[in-house]
Amino acid sequence: MEQGLVELTLNGTIVRAKDGQSIVEAARDNGIYIPTLCDYKSLPPAGTCRMCMVKVGNRIISGCTTPVANGMVVESESPELSDLRKGIIEMLFVEGNHMCPSCEKSGDCELQALAYRYRMDVPRFPFSFTNRSIDASLPHLILEHNRCIQCLRCVRGVKARGGQDIFGFTDRGREIRITVDTTHPESMSDEVARKAEAICPVGALIRKGPHYTTPVGQRRFDLTPIGTDVEKGGEDA
């Protein structure tokens, strides 16, 4: 076998992967979509959302934080895993206020797209009807804490040009809140607002300005269901 590659069994098929890749990355390279919310392209894995759960050796583990190994046997699709993922989606929906028909991110929202993929109907959990603050004090960005799913993509992925942190968080658990370092001059820029809106998987970070320029029904996941690009051999968003 070529140096730097490993062989593993993924859903009953032997595939090759680069040594050091995560299970999610290896699956993606082999055209198998494993859903994620906190994982994002070039960012270091965080393992916070647990959507990428897979079964290895009869144990359910996080696929984005577990590296592949030679001879590993991975199951990424089963009725059990689908139900666990659907349960997480339902928990995220009831824990926040995700009113899709009125949300600016509708059609571009990864949580909404996953709810469609896993055919979420009525959640099995009661709604919390949270009443968190909405911070519109920044010149170009609105922080809608009721929609935040605590993936921390913004914290890990939106940095100043010098690499300094712009986003952070306070508190923990259900009380965690995304914060912005307003003492940094770049935190007030429109460029940061654009990056933050783009990296947020839901509608928690919204850039101020015109919205709905792309009509609902013609947006990213309206046209191509989430995961389809990976399964067709491309790279998903």
Side-chain angles (χ1 to χ4, degrees):
M1 186 165 53
E2 191 176 336
Q3 190 175 8
L5 295 180
V6 299
E7 274 189 352
L8 66 150
T9 302
L10 184 52
N11 298 334
T13 301
I14 296 176
V15 299
R16 290 187 172 185
K18 297 173 187 171
D19 193 13
Q21 276 188 314
S22 70
I23 293 174
V24 167
E25 291 171 328
R28 185 181 296 146
D29 284 353
N30 284 279
I32 296 173
Y33 175 67
I34 298 177
T36 63
L37 284 170
C38 66
D39 188 56
Y40 186 79
K41 295 182 177 178
S42 58
L43 296 182
T48 59
C49 74
R50 317 309 285 184
M51 279 297 299
C52 63
M53 290 182 293
V54 295
K55 186 172 272 189
V56 177
N58 210 32
R59 290 180 59 209
I60 292 178
I61 58 176
S62 162
C64 74
T65 57
T66 304
V68 293
N70 203 41
M72 177 182 273
V73 179
V74 180
E75 184 182 39
S76 70
E77 290 296 338
S78 70
E80 178 189 19
L81 290 169
S82 292
D83 187 60
L84 287 170
R85 290 171 183 153
K86 187 176 179 181
I88 291 173
I89 295 166
E90 291 175 356
M91 281 193 287
L92 291 172
F93 263 89
V94 303
E95 194 277 335
N97 292 341
H98 299 281
M99 310 303 179
C100 298
S102 60
C103 179
E104 300 88 335
K105 203 70 177 276
S106 183
D108 283 325
C109 172
E110 295 175 37
L111 178 63
Q112 180 193 40
L114 286 173
Y116 281 123
R117 183 180 177 97
Y118 286 93
R119 300 179 183 278
M120 191 190 90
D121 192 359
V122 178
R124 72 195 78 176
F125 312 106
F127 282 91
S128 297
F129 298 110
T130 55
N131 187 22
R132 303 181 183 122
S133 63
I134 300 173
D135 184 354
S137 62
L138 294 170
H140 298 289
L141 188 67
I142 297 172
L143 280 67
E144 217 303 19
H145 295 292
N146 294 293
R147 299 174 184 165
C148 180
I149 60 170
Q150 305 175 11
C151 65
L152 306 183
R153 277 193 193 179
C154 56
V155 176
R156 292 176 290 137
V158 183
K159 305 286 185 181
R161 291 189 180 84
Q164 301 95 335
D165 291 335
I166 290 178
F167 289 86
F169 60 90
T170 59
D171 298 324
R172 304 187 71 81
R174 291 191 64 190
E175 303 304 318
I176 194 171
R177 297 288 184 277
I178 296 298
T179 59
V180 177
D181 180 3
T182 55
T183 65
H184 196 292
E186 290 183 40
S187 69
M188 301 294 181
S189 70
D190 185 57
E191 180 185 356
V192 163
R194 288 179 184 274
K195 288 181 180 177
E197 184 179 63
I199 204 170
C200 180
V202 293
L205 300 175
I206 298 294
R207 177 176 164 266
K208 291 182 179 178
H211 285 276
Y212 300 100
T213 52
T214 301
V216 172
Q218 300 178 24
R219 297 182 176 188
R220 180 172 44 151
F221 299 126
D222 295 330
L223 303 175
T224 306
I226 194 167
T228 304
D229 290 350
V230 175
E231 292 163 342
K232 286 183 177 177
E235 185 178 346
D236 196 32

